[in-house]
Amino acid sequence: MHPAFPHIQACVFDAYGTLLDFNSAAAQARDVLGDRADRLSELWRAKQLQYTWLRSLMGTYAPFLQVTGEALDHSLETLGIDDAALRSRLMQLYRELAPFADVMDTLGALRAAGLRTAILTNGSQEMIDATCAHAGITPLLDAILSVDDVGIYKPHPSVYELACTRLGVTRDRIAFVSSNGWDAAGAAQFGFRVIWCNRYGQREEHLPGHPHVEIRSLTEIPALLGVGATP
């Protein structure tokens, strides 16, 4: 059993892949994509992340909504799909991503225990606000924080600093949760107490910063923070 993290005041979550299932967009268009849905989702996600990092290095920040569209265009072209209606549908579905099954109970338990909860995401503010509202998790969050406010993408330290500034909590009192190994590494290097929710059974990244705890489900978090089990 992992020891509880002491003195945590806020639990901050990554959004895509951690609370929200990015694969659900292509999955809902399987009626058109057929057996290409999984491959498209894989390509789309990989190119989306790559573009955020490249834009950060190039100093050419663009909102995540735009980056997501550009990544989708590249992925559709890679698969030889030329379908404007499908493209429009997939972009809308990305605003309607499904939450993972362990999200609602976990957020509810943390809030009931008096911990502050927030999202810190690469997502554009308008985009992530709409997605959280659709998923029904907005009432369980104290803040939804977007990289739009700093104009660069994770894992840049200024993004993690945004959580400290906006929540008024020092980095050592924040538990940061991400399913993305690179994000977990960046947050740990910054100084957060990091819980890596390794949903996909990945190997730890060979990067500066190491997550403090690795879990497979968000339902393990309340016990780690010493606030009991989820309802």
Side-chain angles (χ1 to χ4, degrees), residues 5-13 110 114-118 160 163-164 167-177 187 190-195 212 225:
F5 288 3
H7 312 305
I8 294 298
Q9 297 176 340
C11 195
V12 177
F13 294 84
L110 297 176
L115 286 174
R116 302 183 71 187
T117 58
Y160 302 115
C164 300
L167 295 175
V169 179
T170 58
R171 64 186 71 183
D172 59 312
R173 299 296 178 91
I174 290 177
F176 182 82
V177 184
F190 176 75
F192 288 152
R193 298 286 290 171
V194 176
I195 301 169
H212 299 87
L225 303 186

Side-chain angles (χ1 to χ4, degrees), residues 175-203:
F176 182 82
V177 184
S178 182
S179 67
N180 299 294
W182 57 268
D183 190 19
Q189 179 68 15
F190 176 75
F192 288 152
R193 298 286 290 171
V194 176
I195 301 169
W196 179 28
C197 185
N198 189 6
R199 291 188 183 280
Y200 309 105
Q202 298 172 326
R203 303 294 298 176

Side-chain angles (χ1 to χ4, degrees), residues 54-175:
L54 290 173
R55 280 187 171 276
S56 293
L57 287 169
M58 294 166 71
T60 56
Y61 178 81
F64 196 64
L65 181 61
Q66 176 181 329
V67 172
T68 297
E70 291 167 346
L72 176 59
D73 290 338
H74 186 280
S75 301
L76 290 170
E77 290 167 7
T78 298
L79 294 179
I81 299 172
D82 183 8
D83 187 330
L86 175 62
R87 196 256 190 205
S88 178
R89 180 183 175 191
L90 286 166
M91 287 298 292
Q92 179 58 37
L93 286 171
Y94 212 88
R95 294 171 174 265
E96 302 171 0
L97 298 177
F100 289 102
D102 52 6
V103 170
M104 302 298 286
D105 284 349
T106 300
L107 290 176
L110 297 176
R111 294 271 291 190
L115 286 174
R116 302 183 71 187
T117 58
I119 281 176
L120 178 63
T121 180
N122 279 343
S124 307
Q125 192 70 62
E126 182 272 336
M127 180 182 183
I128 189 62
D129 286 347
T131 306
C132 287
H134 183 270
I137 63 176
T138 304
L140 297 173
L141 299 165
D142 291 292
I144 301 174
L145 309 176
S146 166
V147 297
D148 281 350
D149 287 348
V150 292
I152 197 167
Y153 287 100
K154 291 190 288 183
H156 195 275
S158 64
V159 179
Y160 302 115
E161 182 64 42
L162 180 63
C164 300
T165 302
R166 293 282 296 275
L167 295 175
V169 179
T170 58
R171 64 186 71 183
D172 59 312
R173 299 296 178 91
I174 290 177

